[in-house]
Amino acid sequence: MLLLALAIPALAQPSPIDTASRELAGAETDLAAVDSALDGKVDRAGRADLRTRALAAQSDARDAADQLRGQLALVDARIAGLGPPAAGVTEAPDIRAERKALAQARDALDSKVKRGQLIAVEAGQLVAEIDEAQAAEIGQRISVRSPSPVSPVFWEELLSAMPRDARRVATLMRREWSQGDVALRAGKPWTALLGAALALLLLFPVRQRLRGIGQRYLVSDAPGHRVRRSANAMWRVLIGTAMPTAAAFVLVQGLRWAALIAPAWSQLADALIGAAGFSGFTAAAGAAFLMARQPSWRVVPLTDAVATALRPTVWVFAALTFVVILLDAFNTAIGASPPVLLASQVAEAIANLLLIGGTLLVIGRLRARAAANGADAQEAATSVGVGVGAATVALWLVVTGAGLALLAGYIGLAATVLQFVLWTTLLGICTYLLMIVIDDVATSLFQRDSRVGTTLRHGVGVGGSAVDQFGVLLSAALRLAILAIALGLMLYPFGAGFGSVLDRLSGLARGVQIGGIAISPGSILRFIAVLAIGLFLVRQFMGWLDQRYLPTTDLDGSVRNSIRLVARYVGIALAVIWSLASLGIGMERIALLLSALSVGIGFGLQAITSNFVSGLILLAERPIKIGDLIRVGTDEGDVKRINVRSTEIELADHSTLIVPNSELITKSVLNKTLSAPLGRIQVQFTVPIEADADRVRELVLETFAAEPAILDTPEAKAYIDGIADGRVRFNCFAHVESPRAAYSARSNVLIVLLRRMREEGIELGTVPQKLELVSALPLAEPAATEPSAP
């Protein structure tokens, strides 16, 4: 009964077609609701909500269409299995009925797939319409010209609107006063007092205590200085954001439980919580970026003078953010008039101008001080950050332009530009901190000497270099993702909405279509995961082959190496094909790719291909095996490794000669240990013709027999090779167990043979050279001269 009860829900589960159809119907309903809502007047917050709903409907429609497309492929496969009806042949009734049912199912699925695609297209059109309306509103806001703050018209309109707005403020205050009076008469506001006390505790002692606990934990347990610094920065941001938010929430909740907040003030109370959280986040991010009081924990390359000078700027920025959020909420609560809203916008723009201008002045003084102290350009640039000079000039231009726009009456343009500068600065600081933290954590966690790296190296068998490379690649991928999110959030305060950010991220996740193949981050990660699993399985199979199977065979080391290499490359090829199949690249595409590459292989990769094929021939025919003593040209050595591209030969001086495999196939190679591993010793010498040849032969054979390295079979031989120039030439042979032992054995034989021949008085050597001295012919005497005539 228990098994039956468990089986009933499984049997009652809806089919994938029904689930996809319901998702499609829900997406169509939501899209119709969004379309009808856009017919009326919608504010910016309403448009953001409608945009989010349209994006959700679009995503649901796409998912449903993909599921239905998969079911359609199954139906097509069943139809293809039946085959086309043969002409002139009457099919069985059940086959005709099945063919008809499959055709009807295919038509229904095809119509639903097209319907899902149409809904996705319509949702995209509605999103584009909302974006256009939002862009038009922003354009109108920044292009409208109002009276200049320095003009009398601006102040006249403001003064004329002040009485009505003052009455609105008084009404709001009176409602809160009445609510408080009723609550105080009803009982003691102990929940409000408790909330205020908890807020103070959270804001000061608890926040400081949590900071200290985090630092002590990081000092004692966190690995590496870089990870400690990064984790401390994130901990400060987390505590600096959570504690003000929690304090404001506790305070507001205590006031609500005490019934001290009027309904008209409820929205303002919620804005207080948001302002406390956002301003706390701003202050915490700036403090973690500067670390003015704890320079040893600083993650940014800033000097102490820069951090100390910029520290007040952070608190001013946080206070200004808090005031602006509350002021906007207050204006909304009282329903402020347009002149008052414009005046608030002017005040906000002036405050932002002063903040940005003051920060630029501080940075300018720091650069001037560094130059005055004799610091070179590189040191000055490093002390305030790379590229600060160009950024300072650009910001001065922006501030000047915003100030001129404010004076000219383009208040919306000036406020938007200044707000964009401050928001981009805060976003840049947070992105920079996150990227440093991600790099420190990823590269420290995935390091060959870390705990995770040691586990991967010893438990899984991953190389140390692979662990380090994975850490660097993971850091790069995560930082790119953070950078993409930051770029999407740049326009968030200006009406883009978080749905727009999610839309951009989902578009990035969907990727692009290249040749019918979807290339996206998800597909790339799937390809990497499948390839890693395939290579891991190949590694496990190779371990089993080396340690379990091959030792049970009677194959020698060379055959085992050939089997090992062939199995390894076949496994890697299968893993690559499997990973390519995860991208949707079938065997026909791979064959097409190989055929396209064949032209390049025929021209540019001819030598590599030749060596590869030669390596396969060496592994198959085995004319050369590992351990053979071969001679290639004038080099002689032992074969240590045969790869598919080259062969490694260890020479007598222990150096390694790398020979391309094509050289071993196409050219002459002397293999001294191919068929018979025996080595031969040859000794040649001459003795005088007067020496006893039989005794000489006997001495040679005795010397051969006395050498332990010389084998008895085949037996040693000593021959007279010839007689010339009064000397007898001997040619003697013996065999040792290996050609590698021939050199030392021959040396031992020659030493003993020289000693014994000397003891017997037999002269060893070559044909003596004779030098004959021929005396010179006597010179002819000069002829006698006749005496001269007197």
Side-chain angles (χ1 to χ4, degrees):
M1 292 177 64
L2 179 62
L3 293 176
L4 182 60
L6 293 176
I8 289 176
L11 295 175
Q13 289 182 356
S15 64
I17 298 178
D18 295 336
T19 303
S21 300
R22 282 197 296 270
E23 290 183 1
L24 204 61
E28 189 174 12
T29 302
D30 293 341
L31 198 63
V34 172
D35 192 11
S36 60
L38 288 176
D39 294 336
K41 184 178 180 181
V42 185
D43 57 359
R44 188 173 68 178
R47 278 196 297 267
D49 181 64
L50 292 177
R51 190 182 194 280
T52 303
R53 292 178 60 185
L55 288 175
Q58 186 183 39
S59 178
D60 292 342
R62 286 175 176 172
D63 294 340
D66 291 338
Q67 295 178 8
L68 293 172
R69 195 176 290 110
Q71 298 297 321
L72 181 61
L74 295 178
V75 173
D76 288 338
R78 293 178 60 184
I79 293 176
L82 290 177
V89 177
T90 303
E91 294 182 333
D94 54 345
I95 296 179
R96 289 200 307 270
E98 182 178 3
R99 191 185 299 278
K100 182 179 179 181
L102 289 175
Q104 293 176 353
R106 190 191 186 287
D107 294 338
L109 288 174
D110 185 63
S111 63
K112 290 181 179 180
V113 169
K114 293 178 179 178
R115 178 183 167 198
Q117 294 175 348
L118 181 60
I119 292 174
V121 172
E122 291 178 353
Q125 293 175 352
L126 288 179
V127 169
E129 181 181 350
I130 295 173
D131 290 340
E132 291 176 359
Q134 195 72 29
E137 180 182 348
I138 295 175
Q140 183 180 4
R141 185 173 61 189
I142 65 177
S143 61
V144 171
R145 184 178 181 181
S146 305
S148 173
V150 296
S151 65
V153 179
F154 175 83
W155 296 103
E156 290 175 358
E157 293 180 355
L158 179 61
L159 291 176
S160 62
M162 285 296 292
R164 185 177 297 277
D165 288 310
R167 289 193 297 270
R168 292 172 179 171
V169 173
T171 302
L172 184 66
M173 297 299 294
R174 191 165 47 251
R175 290 177 180 175
E176 178 58 27
W177 182 266
S178 301
Q179 181 70 26
D181 184 64
V182 172
L184 291 175
R185 291 178 183 276
K188 297 181 180 180
W190 61 270
T191 56
L193 296 176
L194 181 61
L198 289 177
L200 291 176
L201 287 175
L202 291 173
L203 199 58
F204 295 104
V206 175
R207 183 168 59 92
Q208 297 296 334
R209 183 65 176 172
L210 288 177
R211 281 186 183 178
I213 292 174
Q215 287 186 355
R216 285 196 298 272
Y217 174 77
L218 292 173
V219 170
S220 59
D221 295 337
H225 181 63
R226 295 174 56 191
V227 176
R228 284 197 294 267
R229 292 185 311 167
S230 302
N232 179 66
M234 288 295 99
W235 180 250
R236 287 178 66 96
V237 173
L238 178 61
I239 295 301
T241 305
M243 290 300 102
T245 306
F249 176 78
V250 169
L251 177 62
V252 170
Q253 197 63 31
L255 293 174
R256 282 176 172 166
W257 284 344
L260 290 175
I261 298 180
W265 283 68
S266 180
Q267 187 177 0
L268 190 60
D270 294 335
L272 175 64
I273 300 175
F278 191 75
S279 60
F281 171 75
T282 302
F289 185 83
L290 297 177
M291 286 290 179
R293 294 182 178 179
Q294 294 178 320
S296 60
W297 292 88
R298 190 177 298 144
V299 298
V300 182
L302 295 175
T303 62
D304 295 342
V306 173
T308 304
L310 292 179
R311 187 170 179 267
T313 305
V314 174
W315 292 106
V316 173
F317 185 21
L320 179 61
T321 303
F322 183 81
V323 172
V324 167
I325 294 177
L326 284 183
L327 182 60
D328 290 342
F330 186 78
N331 289 332
T332 304
I334 67 173
S337 60
V340 172
L341 293 177
L342 190 63
S344 301
Q345 200 171 13
V346 170
E348 179 184 350
I350 294 174
N352 291 337
L353 272 175
L354 294 176
L355 175 62
I356 298 174
T359 305
L360 293 178
L361 288 176
V362 171
I363 294 176
R365 283 201 305 267
L366 291 172
R367 292 176 60 85
R369 187 183 306 168
N373 291 335
D376 56 1
Q378 181 66 28
E379 184 179 355
T382 306
S383 63
V384 292
V386 180
V388 168
T392 302
V393 174
L395 285 177
W396 274 120
L397 294 176
V398 171
V399 169
T400 304
L404 295 176
L406 184 62
L407 293 176
Y410 293 98
I411 300 174
L413 175 61
T416 303
V417 170
L418 294 174
Q419 188 181 5
F420 179 77
V421 170
L422 293 176
W423 170 252
T424 305
T425 303
L426 177 61
L427 191 62
I429 290 174
C430 298
T431 304
Y432 186 76
L433 285 176
L434 275 178
M435 292 178 72
I436 291 180
V437 170
I438 287 173
D439 183 61
D440 291 344
V441 173
T443 55
S444 299
L445 186 63
F446 291 96
Q447 197 175 21
R448 65 180 69 190
D449 297 330
S450 64
R451 294 180 182 179
V452 177
T454 304
T455 303
L456 292 175
R457 287 191 295 113
H458 297 292
V460 186
V462 180
S465 177
V467 175
D468 295 339
Q469 294 175 22
F470 178 77
V472 174
L473 292 176
L474 178 63
S475 170
L478 293 178
R479 285 188 291 172
L480 285 176
I482 292 297
L483 187 60
I485 295 174
L487 292 176
L489 288 173
M490 286 182 65
L491 297 178
Y492 175 67
F494 308 101
F498 196 70
S500 177
V501 178
L502 295 179
D503 184 29
R504 293 186 178 92
L505 294 179
S506 62
L508 180 63
R510 287 192 297 270
V512 295
Q513 293 284 337
I514 301 178
I517 302 172
I519 303 297
S520 63
S523 61
I524 294 175
L525 291 177
R526 184 170 62 250
F527 170 79
I528 295 174
V530 172
L531 182 60
I533 294 173
L535 294 179
F536 173 75
L537 294 178
V538 171
R539 186 184 183 91
Q540 296 300 316
F541 174 74
M542 293 302 299
W544 173 83
L545 190 67
D546 285 337
Q547 300 174 8
R548 298 296 302 274
Y549 176 72
L550 290 180
T552 61
T553 63
D554 297 331
L555 302 175
D556 57 10
S558 179
V559 177
R560 293 182 184 181
N561 179 71
S562 301
I563 295 175
R564 188 182 304 111
L565 286 177
V566 172
R568 179 170 176 265
Y569 285 108
V570 169
I572 292 175
L574 292 177
V576 172
I577 293 175
W578 184 26
S579 58
L580 291 176
S582 67
L583 287 176
I585 303 177
M587 288 299 300
E588 66 281 357
R589 296 179 181 271
I590 297 176
L592 181 63
L593 178 62
L594 292 178
S595 63
L597 291 177
S598 60
V599 178
I601 293 175
F603 291 96
L605 304 179
Q606 184 176 2
I608 297 177
T609 306
S610 175
N611 291 324
F612 180 79
V613 175
S614 299
L616 296 179
I617 294 174
L618 288 176
L619 294 174
E621 295 185 356
R622 301 175 62 237
I624 296 173
K625 304 181 296 297
I626 294 179
D628 284 351
L629 179 64
I630 66 173
R631 177 181 295 172
V632 181
T634 59
D635 298 310
E636 182 176 322
D638 299 324
V639 178
K640 290 299 181 183
R641 180 176 298 177
I642 301 176
N643 299 318
V644 294
R645 191 194 64 84
S646 61
T647 298
E648 299 178 7
I649 302 173
E650 184 178 357
L651 303 181
D653 59 353
H654 300 291
S655 61
T656 301
L657 177 67
I658 300 177
V659 181
N661 290 331
S662 59
E663 298 287 329
L664 303 178
I665 294 296
T666 59
K667 295 185 179 180
S668 300
V669 178
L670 176 62
N671 192 341
K672 293 187 175 183
T673 57
L674 177 61
S675 57
L678 299 180
R680 192 184 72 165
I681 295 175
Q682 181 180 12
V683 179
Q684 293 178 318
F685 60 89
T686 61
V687 298
I689 197 172
E690 298 84 5
D692 187 356
D694 293 331
R695 180 57 182 163
V696 172
R697 183 174 179 273
E698 182 180 353
L699 289 174
V700 171
L701 295 178
E702 290 177 357
T703 303
F704 281 156
E707 172 59 33
I710 293 179
L711 302 177
D712 296 333
T713 302
E715 61 178 349
K717 302 290 184 180
Y719 300 101
I720 294 178
D721 197 32
I723 302 173
D725 298 327
R727 300 188 69 84
V728 179
R729 185 182 300 110
F730 278 85
N731 196 1
C732 310
F733 301 95
H735 292 83
V736 293
E737 62 179 5
S738 172
R740 299 173 183 84
Y743 192 80
S744 59
R746 184 172 180 272
S747 176
N748 296 334
V749 167
L750 289 176
I751 291 174
V752 175
L753 191 60
L754 287 172
R755 184 177 69 248
R756 298 195 64 179
M757 290 295 182
R758 192 179 300 109
E759 293 173 355
E760 295 287 339
I762 301 174
E763 176 190 357
L764 291 178
T766 58
V767 178
Q769 302 293 328
K770 295 181 179 180
L771 179 63
E772 296 182 1
L773 299 178
V774 180
S775 60
L777 296 176
L779 298 176
E781 297 182 358
T785 58
E786 297 180 357
S788 59

